[in-house]
Amino acid sequence: MLPRDPRPVVGPRLALVLLLAAGCGDDPPSPSPGSPPPPAPAPRAAPVAIGPDGASVLTLMDYLAAGEERAARFLAESTDPEAARLSAAIARARDAVVRVRVHYGRKGSSILTDHGTGFLVDRGRCVLTAGHVLSALGTDPAAEVALARTDGTARAARALDRQYAGRPGLGTDLGLFQVEDAEGLASLEQGAPRAGALVAILGYPGRMGRNPDGQVVGDDHAKDRPLLPLVVVGRIREGPGTAVDPVAGCIPEGGMSGAPVVDAEGRAVAIQTGVTRLQDGEAITFRIDVTALGPPSPGAGAAPAGK
């Protein structure tokens, strides 16, 4: 579980974030010309590391590539009627996902960088992410936020507000900033999570994504290479609070925080904020923690987690 931030919430405008989170997405997402893009090529990892004795080493890239393959297979083979619509929604939503970089602690030519995921809303004018991704803004007045889009182009951004109060409920881990040059940017409409709904989390776990050749590779912010987000498929958990039960893909790694939780309608219904490990005897499961972007609604009954 993510550690609680002992610092008070940054900025006096706590209501601003929730108002913008509810209102920034009132406009419909930017339409994509023509028909939806074809399915992405089957993901594969970059070559594994080779040891001095010639033995190969399983890398994080291999793990994430295997997760991508399982998520794609689930969506292609599932009999859940939401699966096909979710697959199309992923193709439409992915260009609104951005890599978030917070540069801080500069000492001469040395600088520290925190990495996370975010997504564009309000016709590309604002970005939502997890509040803890922006923690350095509360300690370093000179900290700067930069974005990288899926096509590799960079955008500067200005932080508007941040919430990370470490308490249950709406808006407890939420960050908002404004994009300086928003012309022509895709964005996501927002909605409320529905219990039992099939969803996809789109982000950059371990600072990794999928390059134009379909390989899972690391982000290199010195080059701003094109990089598509990776996918974790899950279901909105039934019961109090809002969380996601993973169904297919990898358990999110660091760097996934701030990723949009997208439903079959292509709306961002929550923000991924962390992962909780649950253990019952020898059985270990995981819960993906999220901040909802609207009051959760009861489902009409969850479909089975398999096909």
Side-chain angles (χ1 to χ4, degrees):
M1 182 177 292
L2 288 169
R4 295 188 175 186
D5 192 338
R7 295 188 297 271
V9 174
V10 174
R13 297 164 297 166
L14 297 185
L16 172 64
V17 176
L18 293 182
L19 287 172
L20 285 173
C24 275
D26 287 343
D27 297 311
S30 302
S32 300
S35 57
R44 56 191 187 280
V48 297
I50 303 298
D53 60 353
S56 62
V57 177
L58 188 66
T59 68
L60 178 59
M61 295 180 194
D62 298 303
Y63 168 71
L64 295 174
E68 282 286 280
E69 182 180 358
R70 293 189 181 195
R73 186 188 311 141
F74 172 84
L75 292 172
E77 299 178 357
S78 176
T79 57
D80 186 326
E82 284 190 312
R85 292 191 294 121
L86 182 61
S87 184
I90 291 170
R92 296 193 306 271
R94 63 190 180 191
D95 283 340
V97 181
V98 297
R99 288 161 272 172
V100 178
R101 299 158 182 164
V102 182
H103 305 297
Y104 65 101
R106 183 181 294 277
K107 294 182 179 179
S109 60
S110 174
I111 192 168
L112 300 174
T113 301
D114 286 345
H115 297 264
T117 302
F119 57 99
L120 293 152
V121 295
D122 190 24
R123 292 178 291 182
R125 293 177 295 193
C126 297
V127 169
L128 286 172
T129 187
H132 71 267
V133 172
L134 307 178
S135 294
L137 300 180
T139 59
D140 184 353
E144 298 177 346
V145 179
L147 311 174
R149 298 181 60 215
T150 55
D151 63 2
T153 56
R155 290 288 193 281
R158 178 174 62 87
L160 295 179
D161 216 335
R162 169 179 169 262
Q163 292 189 0
Y164 185 33
R167 61 180 184 273
L170 180 65
T172 60
D173 195 352
L174 193 71
L176 178 73
F177 43 95
Q178 184 176 28
V179 181
E180 292 187 3
D181 181 10
E183 185 176 355
L185 300 185
S187 66
L188 293 180
E189 186 180 356
Q190 295 162 70
R194 174 178 57 83
L198 195 66
V199 293
I201 305 173
L202 311 179
Y204 295 93
R207 294 176 52 194
M208 296 195 189
R210 195 153 43 80
N211 69 13
D213 294 327
Q215 293 179 325
V216 174
V217 298
D219 179 23
D220 182 357
H221 58 75
K223 297 180 180 178
D224 281 328
R225 67 177 72 186
L227 214 57
L228 291 174
L230 304 184
V231 178
V232 177
V233 180
R235 287 192 187 281
I236 301 294
R237 174 173 285 208
E238 302 273 0
T242 304
V244 174
D245 290 317
V247 171
C250 290
I251 302 303
E253 296 280 329
M256 196 81 160
S257 291
V261 180
V262 177
D263 67 8
E265 306 304 319
R267 303 172 302 177
V269 298
I271 299 172
Q272 197 267 350
T273 58
V275 175
T276 299
R277 170 177 162 149
L278 306 171
Q279 186 161 355
D280 183 6
E282 295 182 351
I284 298 175
T285 58
F286 295 87
R287 181 190 72 214
I288 301 175
D289 301 313
V290 302
T291 290
L293 293 178
S297 62
K307 294 184 180 179

